[in-house]
Amino acid sequence: MARSSATGDEVVLRVEGMVCAACSSAVERALLSVDGVQKAAASAISGQAVAALEGGVGDTPRVAELAARAVRDVGFEAEVVAPRDGRAAAGAPLRAPASDAPPVGSSSARFVVTGMTCAACSSSVERALRALPGVAAATVSAATEQAEVKYDAAVVSPGELRSAIEDAGFGAEAALDINDTVADLEIGGMTCAACSGAVERALRRVPGVTDVQVNLLQASAHVAYDPLATGTRDIIAAVQEAGFEARPASAATGAGAADERSKKEVAMWRRLLARSCWFTVPAFVVASVCPHIPAAHAFLDDHVGPFRLHSVLMFLLTTPVQFWVGRRFHLGAFKALRNRAANMDVLVSLGTNASYFYSVFAVIYGAFTPFQDTDFFETSAMLITFILLGKYLEVMAKGKTSDAIRKLLELAPDKATLLEVDKDGAVLSEEEIDAALVQTNDVLLVRPGGRVPCDGVVLHGLSHVDESMLTGESLPVAKGVGAEVTGGTVNGHGALRMRASRVGSDAVLAQIVRMVERAQLSKAPVQAFADVVSSIFVPVVVALSLLTFVVWYVAGREGLYPDDWRSQGTD
């Protein structure tokens, strides 16, 4: 909700949901449509927009509120942040601010959430997170299995956020503040909890380290730090001084872990689908094909004790599908109902159990009474099988969402050449190091044809750099002393000596990756509407089912059925 706090000549808006240039253009057009707005600029990277007001506008707060409303009307969340003092110089280009300092105590964390199967699941996680005090916003995507939470660190902790997700019936992997610069390390030599404690204490003693998570089972550490105070080399040195081995994890570790989770998920659904087909295909043949073959029909009409052979075979073929293959749906429904939510698992479990247990009752009742039983065993088995097929296709498509991030990460080089220079700039030594070990203010050498290891400023040399990965322009750009270079771009024929200015999560390439992740996590207005519909879909279907049952039951009790509707042996 917008706060009408602006009283200057420029109004700054925080806009959520912009993921590309088309989004920022839509926001700019919406702002320019407001009476009193002269110029507008929006940035998808910073998530902000600036509206310059015409001279003589008396009621600035009213115009600010209208501007925020116009942005919301085109499908984005908008909030008036603050005014800017003074007027833009005549003819000067208006630019959206490059960054927005969050309020004191404001933090953002991202979690990997497992066990979500539909939009109703993601809505359940969102409600659980938003119910916590101190949580300002929560966005959950079932497709990417991620949750992003904005919260007040003075009121609620990441551990409490994780517990809320788990209490809602889903799994959650802990995450540090997504605004932090982080280092992922592989730790060697840890054998017990005391070892992991020693590593954590050593890391926390490093000046500039703000948070540490050490995982003994995975032999890894996740460290958040201030890049102006320390760097990856200092952090690794602290672990080594504590008596353990340490090295930076692969630059593509995050994407690789996502790929590994995706492959495991695809394999699990493929396995469940295969198991279901083993039983469902024969059940379909017995139920739908054999009755049209006289010999098979006569054979299935034989009895095994008081039961028809057809009913016995269907019971044996569908029971494993209902309770072995379909077990995850029943467990998911139980967890959802326990948390007072209704997702698609509830609908699947309810429908298949109704079909299965009615069939069991009808077979047993028909075996000892004149009632001519009609079973629906194949309905429950085929329903579970088709749902598993849909889930299998869904996870295969979902697995492709990490391809963009993986390809972006592949642009970053693995190695960098570190130079040691004296106060006059003369090179004293040269060493090839892992690119993840580069720290702010390091002096680096970029050889002809090599990739720039991080963002920085050229200190010596002249060359042309291919920046097509950023701009799409194939023509190389000339770079000389004082020019800025971007990590991941390709150097031309000249050697460059540069000073690192932005490394890790501060680099442009890392910011692009975060934008892609944010785009995958964000929801379009129509998707938000679909989530609302899905959240009430299951309760509505269940209510209609109960109403249908009541109507048919009352009609039967009152004898309103025609005689030809009644099965043989019923009254």
Side-chain angles (χ1 to χ4, degrees):
M1 200 175 165
R3 299 189 305 266
S4 55
S5 61
T7 57
D9 298 315
E10 291 183 359
V11 175
V12 181
L13 301 172
R14 180 183 295 112
V15 182
E16 295 184 4
M18 293 191 296
V19 297
C20 61
C23 296
S24 57
S25 297
V27 171
E28 290 175 0
R29 288 194 298 270
L31 291 172
L32 291 172
S33 68
V34 177
D35 291 338
V37 174
Q38 182 180 22
K39 292 188 292 183
S43 169
I45 294 180
S46 66
Q48 287 193 340
V50 177
L53 308 186
E54 296 176 351
V57 174
D59 193 355
T60 303
R62 182 186 64 83
V63 177
E65 182 61 32
L66 291 175
R69 186 180 305 168
V71 174
R72 288 195 290 267
D73 287 344
V74 294
F76 301 94
E77 292 295 327
E79 178 185 14
V80 179
V81 179
R84 281 191 185 176
D85 295 328
R87 300 179 183 272
L94 184 66
R95 300 181 183 273
S99 63
D100 176 33
V104 177
S106 177
S107 299
S108 298
R110 183 169 293 153
F111 297 84
V112 175
V113 183
T114 58
M116 295 189 295
T117 59
C118 62
C121 296
S122 60
S123 298
S124 297
V125 176
E126 286 183 358
R127 286 195 299 270
L129 290 170
R130 290 171 180 170
L132 293 176
V135 173
T139 305
V140 183
S141 171
T144 60
E145 294 186 325
Q146 289 189 348
E148 185 174 313
V149 189
K150 296 181 179 180
Y151 64 98
D152 187 346
V155 178
V156 65
S157 67
E160 292 172 317
L161 299 174
R162 180 181 182 182
S163 297
I165 297 174
E166 292 173 343
D167 290 343
F170 303 92
E173 295 183 12
L176 291 174
D177 193 311
I178 62 175
N179 296 318
D180 286 335
T181 299
V182 298
D184 290 304
L185 307 178
E186 297 177 2
I187 310 296
M190 293 193 301
T191 58
C192 61
C195 296
S196 61
V199 171
E200 183 171 342
R201 288 191 297 273
L203 290 171
R204 291 189 183 278
R205 285 196 295 267
V206 177
V209 170
T210 58
D211 200 359
V212 177
Q213 292 178 4
V214 180
N215 190 312
L216 174 61
L217 297 179
Q218 296 181 359
S220 64
H222 199 51
V223 186
Y225 64 94
D226 180 359
L228 298 179
T230 188
T232 308
R233 293 202 303 275
D234 298 332
I235 292 171
I236 289 178
V239 176
Q240 292 173 342
E241 289 176 2
F244 301 91
E245 299 175 359
R247 62 187 181 91
S250 170
T253 297
D259 285 344
E260 188 63 27
R261 285 194 303 270
S262 177
K263 289 178 181 178
K264 288 181 179 179
E265 191 175 15
V266 169
M268 180 198 71
W269 288 109
R270 184 194 299 119
R271 188 167 54 250
L272 288 174
L273 178 60
R275 290 173 180 173
S276 185
C277 288
W278 293 344
F279 298 99
T280 302
V281 172
F284 172 78
V285 172
V286 171
S288 302
V289 178
C290 289
H292 300 286
I293 304 174
H297 181 66
F299 173 73
L300 293 174
D301 264 348
D302 285 343
H303 282 69
V304 179
F307 305 105
R308 293 173 58 225
L309 180 58
H310 172 276
S311 300
V312 173
L313 285 176
M314 293 300 294
F315 173 79
L316 294 176
L317 288 171
T318 58
T319 298
V321 179
Q322 179 68 21
F323 298 109
W324 179 40
V325 179
R327 177 173 176 268
R328 64 172 293 109
F329 297 114
H330 308 311
L331 290 177
F334 171 76
K335 291 178 180 178
L337 292 175
R338 185 183 62 185
N339 290 282
R340 300 178 182 178
N343 57 15
M344 294 304 293
D345 287 341
V346 173
L347 209 56
V348 172
S349 180
L350 186 62
T352 57
N353 279 322
S355 174
Y356 179 84
F357 285 109
Y358 168 80
S359 300
V360 171
F361 173 78
V363 168
I364 296 175
Y365 184 75
F368 300 101
T369 66
F371 174 71
Q372 184 177 354
D373 66 276
T374 301
D375 63 71
F376 300 97
F377 282 116
E378 76 282 0
T379 301
S380 65
M382 291 181 66
L383 181 60
I384 289 176
T385 301
F386 279 120
I387 290 173
L388 290 175
L389 175 61
K391 290 294 182 184
Y392 174 61
L393 296 176
E394 178 187 342
V395 296
M396 287 189 65
K398 188 171 67 175
K400 300 182 184 298
T401 59
S402 61
D403 287 349
I405 294 177
R406 184 174 63 251
K407 290 177 181 178
L408 282 172
L409 290 173
E410 289 173 355
L411 296 175
D414 296 328
K415 300 293 182 180
T417 302
L418 177 66
L419 301 179
E420 183 182 352
V421 297
D422 59 19
K423 61 182 181 179
D424 297 325
V427 177
L428 302 178
S429 65
E430 180 180 313
E431 179 186 3
E432 187 177 78
I433 63 173
D434 195 304
L437 297 177
V438 175
Q439 298 181 180
T440 303
N441 293 323
D442 280 348
V443 178
L444 307 171
L445 174 66
V446 185
R447 292 188 170 89
R451 286 189 179 273
V452 178
C454 64
D455 297 357
V457 179
V458 176
L459 300 177
H460 181 269
L462 182 65
S463 183
H464 286 76
V465 176
D466 181 359
E467 296 183 340
S468 58
M469 54 87 70
L470 285 177
T471 64
E473 174 58 59
S474 59
L475 187 65
V477 180
K479 299 292 182 180
V481 176
E484 293 187 355
V485 290
T486 304
T489 55
V490 181
N491 187 25
H493 297 291
L496 295 175
R497 190 186 305 173
M498 59 171 285
R499 184 180 300 278
S501 59
R502 292 186 299 271
V503 299
S505 59
D506 292 331
V508 170
L509 185 59
Q511 293 178 27
I512 295 174
V513 170
R514 282 203 299 273
M515 281 192 65
V516 174
E517 292 176 338
R518 191 179 298 118
Q520 292 177 342
L521 191 62
S522 63
K523 296 180 181 179
V526 66
Q527 185 180 355
F529 175 74
D531 288 349
V532 173
V533 172
S534 66
S535 65
I536 64 174
F537 176 74
V538 175
V540 168
V541 170
V542 173
L544 291 176
S545 301
L546 292 175
L547 178 62
T548 303
F549 170 76
V550 170
V551 170
W552 280 91
Y553 178 77
V554 171
R557 295 290 297 179
E558 297 298 325
L560 301 179
Y561 297 156
D563 291 339
D564 56 350
W565 286 16
R566 299 191 180 104
S567 300
Q568 180 181 345
T570 61
D571 53 21

